[in-house]
């Protein structure tokens, strides 16, 4: 299968083998759903996406905590390498998990928020207040999906589509910070 087809392939909600438990729609994924496949663990943010309330927010908080743990060990180049690899891995994981859930972009799939927020945290000024403001702005862009985020969210499908709209939300968050710093410095 070509790499482009992994990123852009439309997802099917049916399976030829109806006895395959992982191919049935799981509207509310559980740890039992995650257990058999690495792609499920990744897409569902190692369990953070299983939150019954605001899984995207919980996934973003998980990203913040993971960033705090990993940041002392990674250089900027190490972070960018991890983010690039995690984006590509997320395309694959979200493609497979969306197929297995029977939902193209299930709210429990939070790897897109995690990777995008890592990029935001790497760029915005260090410190709790800046990071908290970045968290609020990023979540607002991710939830409201203003143009052009909404366009790409509706247009791009598959794993790449899941990952890309959050990358745009991260870009717009960083843009807000850049404008704010240019005006108020």
């Amino acid at each position: 299968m070509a790499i482009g087809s992994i990123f852009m392939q439309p997802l099917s909600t049916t399976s030829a083998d109806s006895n395959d438990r992982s191919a049935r729609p799981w509207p509310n994924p559980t740890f039992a759903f995650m257990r058999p496949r690495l792609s499920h663990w990744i897409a569902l943010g190692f369990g953070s996406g299983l939150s019954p309330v605001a899984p995207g927010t919980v996934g973003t908080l998980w990203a913040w905590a993971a960033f705090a743990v990993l940041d002392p060990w990674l250089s900027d180049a190490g972070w960018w390498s991890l983010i690039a690899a995690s984006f590509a891995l997320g395309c694959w994981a979200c493609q497979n998990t969306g197929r297995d859930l029977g939902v193209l972009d299930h709210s429990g799939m939070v790897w897109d928020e995690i990777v995008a927020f890592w990029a935001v945290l790497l760029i915005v000024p260090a410190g709790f207040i800046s990071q908290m403001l970045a968290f609020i702005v990023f979540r607002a862009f991710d939830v409201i999906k203003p143009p052009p985020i909404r366009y790409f969210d509706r247009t791009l499908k598959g794993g790449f589509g899941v990952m890309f709209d959050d990358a745009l939300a991260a870009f717009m968050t960083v843009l807000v910070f850049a404008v704010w710093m240019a005006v108020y410095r």
Side-chain angles (χ1 to χ4, degrees), residues 48-64:
S48 62
L50 298 179
S51 172
V53 179
T57 300
V58 173
T60 306
L61 288 170
W62 189 94
W64 195 357

Side-chain angles (χ1 to χ4, degrees), residues 6-28:
I6 292 172
F7 294 142
M8 303 301 283
Q9 179 179 355
L11 297 176
S12 169
T13 58
T14 61
S15 172
D17 183 2
S18 61
N19 292 326
D20 181 5
R21 185 170 175 86
S22 66
R24 294 184 196 157
W26 288 64
N28 297 308

Side-chain angles (χ1 to χ4, degrees), residues 110-128:
V110 297
W111 192 250
D112 49 342
E113 281 91 357
I114 291 168
V115 174
F117 196 58
W118 283 345
V120 169
L121 291 172
L122 191 56
I123 296 170
V124 300
F128 181 77

